[in-house]
Amino acid sequence: MSEHRRKPPQPQGGGRAAARRGQSGSSGRRAAPRGATRSPSGSYGPDEERPYSTRAEARRAAQRSGGGRRRAAEPGGGGRRAAPGGSGRGRAAAASGSKRLIDYPRSDRNGWRRWMPSWKLVTGLCIAFFGGLVAATGLAYAMVGIPDIAKTASAQNNVYYWADGSQMVATGGERNRQEVELSRIPKEMQNAVISQENRSFRTDSGIDPKGIARAVFNMARGGDTQGGSTITQQYVKNAMLDDQSQTLSRKAKEMLVSVKVGAKVEKNDILEGYLNSAYYGRGAYGIQAAARAYFNKDAVDLNAGECALLAAVLKGATYYDPAGATSIDPGATAEANQKRALRQMQDTLDKMVEYGHLDQAERAKYTTLPKVQNPRSNTQLSGQTGYLVDLAKASLIKNDVVTQKDLETGGYSIYTTFDKKKVEELEKAVQKVYKENIRPEDRPDTDTHVQFGGASVDPKTGAIVAIYGGEDATKHFTNNADVTGAQVGSTFKPYVLAAAMKWGVRDPDLGETQAQDERTVVSPKSLYSGQNNLKIKNYDGTIWKNEKDEQWRQVNDGDQSLGEAPDYKIDLREAMRESVNSAFVQLGMDVGLDKVKEAAIDSGLLKSSLTGTNYPSFSIGVSDPSAIRMAGSYATFAASGKQREPFSVTKVVKKGETIFTHKSTSKDAFTAKVADNVTDVLKTVVDEGTGSNAQLPGRDVAGKTGTTDGNKSAWFVGYTPQLSTAISMFRYPDDETIKNRTFLEMFGTGGQKKIHGASFPSEIWHDYMEKALEGEKAERFPKPEPIGEIINDDPLPSPSPTPSETAAESPSPSATPTETTPSLTAPTPSSTCGVFTWNCEEGDNRGGDNGGNDAGGANGGQPSPPTPTETEEENPTRGQGFIGGPNG
């Protein structure tokens, strides 16, 4: 082609096309919409630079941008085909987006698809994440070291302080430990632990993936991270004294260390280290200390049965030590622990046989628990100190201040409420009575197994200032102040009176539902029958009958009737003073046993320590609260109705930092009018009645005696404005090898025909309180305001009392009974006797002696219904504590 015929290159946006566009624009012709001509240049103005060198390249870019024919149908597309990509800038963004390192949001997708990552992106991220995780794990593995198990041989003590700040004892965190070589640890002990804890120990890598997954799952649910750990992991856990937290990060660190230990340390060394560092309870760390603590022998001399028991104890000494640990958990009684330990021991022996570690003939020798010795050996915890330490520890654990494992590591300063002088005086008062009166050598049939319990509480704060737990904490393990099971007898009657003053008696002319709302508050001057062998009625006057259609006749102590014949009417003050059973049993029925129970709980007794309300005898003390709870409950009356929870620790300090401080709170159990009237009636008991031995010259004293049927327990609970104290006395075998232990009668004990609350318990109370309050100014009880209506002063049968005071007397009345029984809500209409017809003899069925028997035993549990002809059936339930628990 000749030179003069070649066309010169045209600038973008110029040339003939531009001229034509300019002409059409100037001539008024309507130009085609951009993109309608299929020319890529149609999308650009005269001053824009075309980004593509050829039309083919532009067309391909347009297709990538979602342009082309598909855009023609979109609104605003115009012409035959919409502009590719919508605009030049959009195409430019699409083109540049395809060159990003991470194409997210995706440039080649529209709508929600732009936010869906591609498989390449997901794969890349996963590879990066797991690669980083592997790298981090490898780095962490390289950085962790193998712990030194020998460091567990020492730990700080916990220091307990008296209320005045002086030191009581330093104990609880020491390591009672002596290492022994694996060759001196019986093969049976090694195999027992491997069989029960980690069958694959000899071959595993040191961790159990399933156990770890279970721990993580438990942690996610807010539970304990323990469970399923291998012996190697437990070895590592014992060695990591610097970190005993239960967190996922700690668990991850433990796993890494376990893997490293599993790879670097010989299996025999791991097993030896674990058995020498594990905690077996009783302050014993390591197999040698455990052998001494439980069997008083060296580890090398343990037999297969003893080894299996110690392997069971490793699961948790609180629940597997045959001696029990009720100070930590009221459910961990000796009987319950023995059952658990025996079951676990037998399971371990069976597994040893299954895995080829024990011959069947040898295994057959061990079908019962081996005999273990008394759990206390620390002489620092002798006398009352052990009971005080147990009580403080239990309080901290129950209130989630620290864990039992935290206390084992030591380093805590624990400041208690215990008054050293008062503790010593209470112990002296008990020992005085015991030495002067109890002679088991001379009277083995009546004076053996005699025990006392006591507790003293400050009504203004709820602080437990003194307790008497038993003869010696290193000889008698159970704390009698916190755990007895002895029924409280007539010391329960003040709660019946309080309920009658708080809610009132029900109107006998109304139905059950309406009667709950329309009540008459009772005055202490109200009259009730003091007749012995009284036929008990429902509140509406019908005769009460049990499920066997048997009537109930209530007898009084000594089979005596009190009050003026022929009706034997007696007012409630006198009935309390003389502890008349029949009057308070009928009063309880008129108020409703559900309300009596509620009053007892409001005052501070634990619901779990109270029996059911199916029988009228509930009102006269067939329940078995602890001495601490009884003292705290009576303190509510002393504080004019303010109930404060008993407590034993004021603060806890760790490494100079106070981690716990007790904050006293109170609730209104009763109005001051109700509480002060109860106090005034109980004051009469001490001034003129059965509690006269408790009189303190120059001081106001209120209290109540209590004696149970069968004479199996006796109580005195009393208070001044400054101090409330409960004393219990009972006979209960202290030998835990005796099966089916039960409370024994006290007829003839101490040379007395019968033990009453008015005898030894009130004598101990008096001697202690006289010394405990020495030097303190005498205070007076508040003068009570008049309360309630005088019930039953009208001799006519079935009067309809007009309430002058209603349930508004209660700070929190409840119109709905908290507990009802068929016998109370469905009275038998077979009698026409009125509720106030005292000598009505219609239906002279005296019941019988088949109403139940003593079924509680020493293993805890509710008593059988009392015999209809008896007053207060015994309930030898053990295992309650003031902290809480199933029998608290």
Side-chain angles (χ1 to χ4, degrees):
M1 182 182 292
S2 61
E3 185 70 21
H4 70 276
R5 292 179 62 87
R6 181 178 298 170
K7 294 182 180 180
Q10 298 295 323
Q12 283 186 333
R16 295 177 183 178
R20 283 196 298 271
R21 286 195 298 271
Q23 290 172 1
S24 65
S26 60
S27 64
R29 284 181 64 185
R30 186 173 59 185
R34 280 189 178 182
T37 63
R38 300 187 184 180
S39 172
S41 63
S43 300
Y44 296 89
D47 297 328
E48 294 177 326
E49 181 179 350
R50 179 188 297 177
Y52 311 107
S53 60
T54 65
R55 291 185 179 182
E57 182 179 347
R59 188 162 51 251
R60 286 193 296 271
Q63 291 172 350
R64 286 195 304 269
S65 302
R69 297 180 182 275
R70 286 174 297 178
R71 292 294 182 90
E74 295 178 5
R80 292 177 58 191
R81 184 162 51 182
S87 70
R89 289 177 182 162
R91 281 206 309 262
S96 61
S98 63
K99 299 178 182 178
R100 289 184 295 173
L101 179 62
I102 300 177
D103 185 20
Y104 190 83
R106 300 174 67 180
S107 60
D108 60 343
R109 296 289 187 269
N110 295 309
W112 62 270
R113 291 181 178 84
R114 283 172 51 82
W115 304 99
M116 291 293 294
S118 66
W119 68 269
K120 293 181 180 180
L121 179 60
V122 173
T123 303
L125 290 176
C126 288
I127 293 174
F129 173 77
F130 286 108
L133 185 62
V134 170
T137 302
L139 180 61
Y141 178 84
M143 293 180 65
V144 296
I146 296 176
D148 184 2
I149 199 71
K151 292 181 179 179
T152 64
S154 61
Q156 299 181 71
N157 283 331
N158 295 315
V159 182
Y160 293 82
Y161 296 90
W162 295 104
D164 62 4
S166 61
Q167 182 173 317
M168 179 197 307
V169 66
T171 185
E174 72 276 5
R175 292 305 205 243
N176 174 20
R177 179 179 170 217
Q178 178 183 351
E179 288 195 32
V180 291
E181 295 179 356
L182 190 64
S183 60
R184 294 188 60 78
I185 299 176
K187 281 289 184 181
E188 289 84 354
M189 187 65 207
Q190 301 175 39
N191 292 328
V193 172
I194 292 174
S195 298
Q196 188 60 254
E197 300 289 339
N198 185 192
R199 180 185 178 185
S200 63
F201 167 70
R202 295 291 182 183
T203 58
D204 63 33
S205 63
I207 63 171
D208 176 11
K210 290 183 180 180
I212 293 170
R214 182 165 56 252
V216 171
F217 178 70
N218 289 340
M219 187 69 179
R221 292 191 308 168
D224 195 347
T225 59
Q226 295 179 349
S229 296
T230 65
I231 289 176
T232 303
Q233 286 178 271
Q234 294 178 56
Y235 166 89
V236 170
K237 187 186 303 180
N238 293 340
M240 293 172 62
L241 283 177
D242 59 326
D243 183 8
Q244 290 293 315
S245 61
Q246 292 297 321
T247 61
L248 287 177
S249 61
R250 196 264 185 186
K251 202 71 180 178
K253 179 181 179 182
E254 177 188 303
M255 181 179 66
L256 287 173
V257 176
S258 298
V259 172
K260 196 161 192 175
V261 168
K264 301 289 186 181
V265 181
E266 293 292 334
K267 289 292 186 179
N268 280 348
D269 292 338
I270 294 174
L271 184 59
E272 177 185 307
Y274 171 63
L275 292 174
N276 277 314
S277 63
Y279 182 62
Y280 296 80
R282 303 190 176 191
Y285 288 82
I287 185 62
Q288 175 64 18
R292 282 293 173 189
Y294 285 88
F295 308 112
N296 194 28
K297 61 172 63 174
D298 291 328
V300 70
D301 297 323
L302 295 172
N303 61 42
E306 293 165 342
C307 290
L309 175 59
L310 291 181
V313 170
L314 284 174
K315 295 182 70 67
T318 298
Y319 300 102
Y320 291 91
D321 185 341
T326 50
S327 62
I328 302 299
D329 188 336
T333 63
E335 290 75 15
N337 279 18
Q338 287 166 15
K339 290 180 180 179
R340 278 188 287 261
L342 179 60
R343 184 169 56 248
Q344 187 68 21
M345 169 187 164
Q346 296 302 308
D347 181 66
T348 299
L349 290 170
D350 289 341
K351 288 180 177 177
M352 291 172 68
V353 173
E354 179 184 351
Y355 303 151
H357 299 313
L358 186 65
D359 181 78
Q360 180 62 52
E362 181 70 12
R363 185 261 178 271
K365 297 179 182 179
Y366 310 106
T367 57
T368 60
L369 282 176
K371 185 177 180 179
V372 298
Q373 64 180 2
N374 188 287
R376 291 192 185 278
S377 58
N378 189 339
T379 56
Q380 294 185 85
L381 300 177
S382 61
Q384 299 305 303
T385 304
Y387 302 124
L388 298 173
V389 168
D390 282 350
L391 199 62
K393 286 171 57 178
S395 174
L396 296 177
I397 294 169
K398 286 295 182 182
N399 289 290
D400 296 325
V401 178
V402 296
T403 66
Q404 187 173 4
K405 289 190 175 182
D406 290 335
L407 287 173
E408 290 169 10
T409 63
Y412 292 91
S413 296
I414 301 167
Y415 294 82
T416 73
T417 59
F418 307 130
D419 186 304
K420 185 177 182 180
K421 174 190 172 184
K422 290 181 173 62
V423 170
E424 291 174 349
E425 293 299 340
L426 182 53
E427 185 175 26
K428 288 179 183 178
V430 173
Q431 289 177 345
K432 176 186 175 184
V433 165
Y434 195 96
K435 291 177 180 178
E436 292 179 356
N437 301 280
I438 310 301
R439 299 185 179 92
E441 297 84 4
D442 300 334
R443 295 185 291 262
D445 294 336
T446 60
D447 286 21
T448 55
H449 310 305
V450 175
Q451 298 185 35
F452 294 93
S456 200
V457 173
D458 183 349
K460 295 181 176 62
T461 63
I464 304 170
V465 297
I467 64 168
Y468 179 83
E471 176 188 1
D472 189 319
T474 63
K475 300 176 181 178
H476 173 72
F477 189 53
T478 302
N479 186 344
N480 291 344
D482 196 30
V483 181
T484 63
Q487 291 183 339
V488 295
S490 293
T491 59
F492 201 81
K493 289 173 182 173
Y495 309 123
V496 184
L497 181 61
M501 292 179 176
K502 181 175 182 177
W503 287 286
V505 296
R506 295 169 287 184
D507 191 327
D509 295 330
L510 300 178
E512 176 69 21
T513 302
Q514 189 177 0
Q516 290 292 340
D517 296 325
E518 299 187 28
R519 293 169 171 265
T520 301
V521 172
V522 172
S523 165
K525 297 179 181 180
S526 296
L527 302 175
Y528 271 81
S529 176
Q531 182 183 6
N532 181 53
N533 206 33
L534 178 69
K535 187 180 296 184
I536 299 301
K537 306 176 180 68
N538 293 299
Y539 82 94
D540 62 356
T542 58
I543 301 299
W544 185 92
K545 294 183 179 181
N546 64 13
E547 67 279 358
K548 297 180 180 180
D549 204 36
E550 297 167 336
Q551 298 179 2
W552 184 284
R553 288 181 178 274
Q554 183 61 56
V555 301
N556 293 326
D557 187 38
D559 288 327
Q560 295 182 343
S561 294
L562 288 90
E564 297 182 5
D567 293 335
Y568 296 101
K569 286 186 177 180
I570 186 173
D571 68 36
L572 294 178
R573 182 184 296 274
E574 185 179 358
M576 185 74 77
R577 185 185 71 207
E578 300 301 327
S579 199
V580 181
N581 291 335
S582 56
F584 282 95
V585 169
Q586 187 58 60
L587 177 62
M589 298 298 288
D590 293 348
V591 174
L593 298 183
D594 60 308
K595 293 300 184 186
V596 175
K597 186 172 187 175
E598 189 172 344
I601 294 171
D602 287 346
S603 71
L605 299 187
L606 296 177
K607 182 178 180 180
S608 54
S609 71
L610 304 178
T611 62
T613 57
N614 294 2
Y615 287 82
S617 60
F618 177 78
S619 294
I620 50 176
V622 293
S623 300
D624 55 359
S626 68
I628 290 174
R629 281 291 171 180
M630 288 299 292
S633 176
Y634 271 50
T636 300
F637 297 125
S640 295
K642 300 288 185 182
Q643 192 272 326
R644 298 175 176 90
E645 280 295 295
F647 70 101
S648 57
V649 177
T650 56
K651 69 175 180 177
V652 179
V653 177
K654 179 73 178 286
K655 295 181 179 180
E657 179 184 355
T658 301
I659 64 172
F660 168 77
T661 302
H662 176 80
K663 296 180 180 179
S664 293
T665 59
S666 65
K667 65 179 182 180
D668 293 325
F670 310 104
T671 62
K673 183 185 290 188
V674 170
D676 293 344
N677 271 279
V678 171
T679 294
D680 191 57
V681 172
L682 295 182
K683 187 173 181 293
T684 306
V685 175
V686 177
D687 290 344
E688 307 170 9
T690 59
S692 58
N693 280 348
Q695 293 176 4
L696 297 174
R699 294 186 183 274
D700 280 357
V701 178
K704 184 71 185 76
T705 56
T707 307
T708 59
D709 185 74
N711 203 210
K712 295 183 178 180
S713 62
W715 290 73
F716 184 80
V717 187
Y719 55 93
T720 68
Q722 297 119 307
L723 202 58
S724 176
T725 301
I727 303 295
S728 65
M729 178 180 177
F730 52 92
R731 290 182 66 208
Y732 190 82
D734 202 26
D735 187 353
E736 294 176 354
T737 63
I738 300 176
K739 295 183 178 180
N740 301 320
R741 288 180 295 165
T742 185
F743 286 88
L744 306 175
E745 293 180 346
M746 293 190 292
F747 296 109
T749 298
Q752 298 194 2
K753 182 178 179 180
K754 181 179 181 179
I755 299 296
H756 293 81
S759 55
F760 297 143
S762 65
E763 184 180 339
I764 292 170
W765 189 96
H766 169 272
D767 292 348
Y768 160 68
M769 290 288 283
E770 187 175 51
K771 292 293 184 180
L773 296 173
E774 195 173 52
E776 294 189 30
K777 182 180 179 181
E779 296 183 14
R780 300 296 177 185
F781 291 126
K783 184 177 181 180
E785 299 179 27
I787 190 171
E789 291 289 317
I790 301 176
I791 305 300
N792 302 334
D793 61 339
D794 189 338
L796 296 177
S798 302
S800 300
T802 303
S804 62
E805 285 190 66
T806 64
E809 187 68 38
S810 165
S812 57
S814 173
T816 303
T818 58
E819 182 179 356
T820 59
T821 63
S823 59
L824 297 182
T825 59
T828 305
S830 61
S831 172
T832 58
C833 294
V835 67
F836 306 127
T837 309
W838 304 118
N839 286 322
C840 178
E841 293 297 331
E842 182 174 330
D844 192 22
N845 181 358
R846 299 174 60 84
D849 57 1
N850 59 350
N853 53 34
D854 185 1
N859 59 347
Q862 295 298 342
S864 297
T867 304
T869 57
E870 294 178 343
T871 54
E872 301 165 78
E873 183 64 32
E874 65 275 12
N875 171 26
T877 301
R878 299 179 68 85
Q880 84 286 357
F882 91 94
I883 299 297
N887 289 313

